[in-house]
Amino acid sequence: MDLILILTYTAVCIAIFKIFKIPLNKWSVPTAVLGGIVLIGTLIFLMNYNHPYSEVSREYFVSTPVVPAVRGQVASVNVEANTPVKAGHLLFTIDPVPYQNKVDSLAAQLKSATSDYQRAVQLKKKKIGKQRDVDVTLATVNDLTAKLADAEYDLARTEVRAASDGFVSQMMVYPGLYVVPMPLRPAMVFVQEKSFIYVGWYRQNSILRLQPGYEAEMAFDALPGKVFSGEVVQVLPVIAEGEVQANGTLVNLGLGSLRPGRVPVQIKITDPDFAQYADQIPGGSYGQSAVYSDHFSHVAIMRRIILRMSSWMSYIFPFH
């Protein structure tokens, strides 16, 4: 953009010198050059501050590790990788036989304990039995009822279902595999459908020109020559470089503290043309974005041109 401004200013200066027949001397030429530096520099500085640009923007999504709640051998897999499913869809099942056997055993014990309790109550009414017998049999019934509920709960968890709409990515579970309820070894990775967001990382110098509701534009490297309009949803209130966690050491001014960090800005794409490309962009796609504030809006055209020129440059890459 600066080259375009320089060439435009040069063309204007040449036209003025030709039309008004201004002589080229030690006063006219330096004045034209100095005027160009002041004019172009002022425009660029106004644009950079009032209409910030981020060359680091990305689409983010939330992935959930699918960890089985019970251990056992996988009996069936009922989903295909990278295929959209709805909430409640059956992902895979674990062999239910051991859990069904436990349910049947506890159900039989509960039936017997219930009969003992009923007999103890009848004997107590006839003043033959003791109150302790009633209390003991009742406690046994309650204990077995609770254990049966737990067993039925474990049996139900042999069917692992999707907690929300989304799809399974990088599925590495197959029938016959033995799975355990260990967070470090998930059976699947589930991607939440409604978790996709777009974030631009902006320099802290521009924080006063980053406000929710401001117009924004975003361009993806995966879609050369395409720029999509949107708006700022929110400016996240924290920066990762300033995070500290409770531990046994004091916070010190280490190398991590010397990095200024970028301000994360969530952007919502509102351009209707983006719908036809949304499914073609993989989650995590890289791009660039710009925010147009209400200050010095007349120089925003420069930022729009620069963003589009940068998007066109995505057509060119040296790797093959």
Side-chain angles (χ1 to χ4, degrees):
M1 185 63 193
D2 52 352
L3 180 59
I4 293 177
L5 292 175
I6 292 173
L7 293 177
T8 303
Y9 180 78
T10 302
V12 172
C13 288
I14 292 175
I16 292 176
F17 274 82
K18 291 291 185 180
I19 294 174
F20 297 99
K21 297 180 180 180
I22 300 175
L24 301 177
N25 53 43
K26 63 180 181 179
W27 301 108
S28 60
V29 174
T31 300
V33 174
L34 182 60
I37 293 175
V38 173
L39 178 61
I40 296 175
T42 301
L43 290 175
I44 292 177
F45 290 147
L46 287 174
M47 176 195 67
N48 284 341
Y49 182 75
N50 293 285
H51 308 290
Y53 164 80
S54 173
E55 76 284 6
V56 183
S57 303
R58 190 179 294 276
E59 179 184 20
Y60 291 88
F61 59 90
V62 177
S63 63
T64 303
V66 179
V67 180
V70 295
R71 66 179 63 223
Q73 192 175 46
V74 176
S76 64
V77 178
N78 306 83
V79 66
E80 295 182 2
N82 303 313
T83 301
V85 297
K86 297 295 183 181
H89 183 87
L90 182 63
L91 300 179
F92 65 94
T93 60
I94 298 174
D95 185 9
V97 173
Y99 301 96
Q100 183 63 58
N101 291 339
K102 187 174 182 179
V103 168
D104 295 340
S105 175
L106 290 172
Q109 295 179 48
L110 178 61
K111 183 178 180 180
S112 176
T114 302
S115 299
D116 292 342
Y117 169 69
Q118 292 174 350
R119 282 194 294 269
V121 171
Q122 293 298 326
L123 292 175
K124 179 64 173 61
K125 289 180 178 180
K126 296 178 181 180
K127 298 182 180 182
I128 301 176
K130 299 178 181 179
Q131 181 62 40
R132 175 172 175 75
D133 295 335
V134 176
D135 295 339
V136 170
T137 53
L138 178 60
T140 302
V141 170
N142 293 336
D143 180 60
L144 290 174
T145 301
K147 290 182 178 179
L148 178 60
D150 289 341
E152 291 175 341
Y153 182 60
D154 288 341
L155 177 61
R157 291 192 294 179
T158 58
E159 295 184 348
V160 181
R161 299 182 178 273
S164 63
D165 297 349
F167 60 90
V168 174
S169 182
Q170 297 181 356
M171 182 175 62
M172 293 175 287
V173 59
Y174 297 93
L177 181 70
Y178 192 87
V179 294
V180 296
M182 183 180 297
L184 298 178
R185 299 294 298 272
M188 296 178 174
V189 176
F190 191 84
V191 178
Q192 311 289 333
E193 179 182 336
K194 296 183 179 180
S195 67
F196 288 80
I197 62 172
Y198 306 95
V199 176
W201 298 87
Y202 288 81
R203 293 174 176 83
Q204 297 182 35
N205 311 55
S206 306
I207 190 65
L208 295 179
R209 296 298 182 263
L210 299 172
Q211 301 294 333
Y214 278 173
E215 181 186 0
E217 286 186 328
M218 194 164 186
F220 296 93
D221 291 357
L223 300 173
K226 303 291 184 181
V227 177
F228 304 100
S229 60
E231 65 177 2
V232 176
V233 176
Q234 65 173 336
V235 180
L236 275 68
V238 294
I239 299 176
E241 284 74 8
E243 178 187 12
V244 293
Q245 295 182 355
N247 52 49
T249 59
L250 296 175
V251 178
N252 56 53
L253 187 62
L255 292 178
S257 301
L258 296 178
R259 300 189 183 96
R262 296 287 189 97
V263 179
V265 177
Q266 183 179 346
I267 298 174
K268 177 183 178 181
I269 297 179
T270 58
D271 196 329
D273 293 336
F274 182 69
Q276 58 182 317
Y277 301 103
D279 294 336
Q280 301 179 21
I281 301 178
S285 294
Y286 188 83
Q288 48 197 318
S289 61
V291 174
Y292 306 107
S293 71
D294 297 336
H295 304 269
F296 293 93
S297 57
H298 55 280
V299 298
I301 185 63
M302 298 171 56
R303 177 62 73 198
R304 297 180 188 275
I305 294 175
I306 292 177
L307 184 61
R308 281 153 178 78
M309 293 172 62
S310 299
S311 179
W312 296 334
M313 291 299 296
S314 297
Y315 280 112
I316 305 172
F317 50 92
F319 307 106
H320 57 82

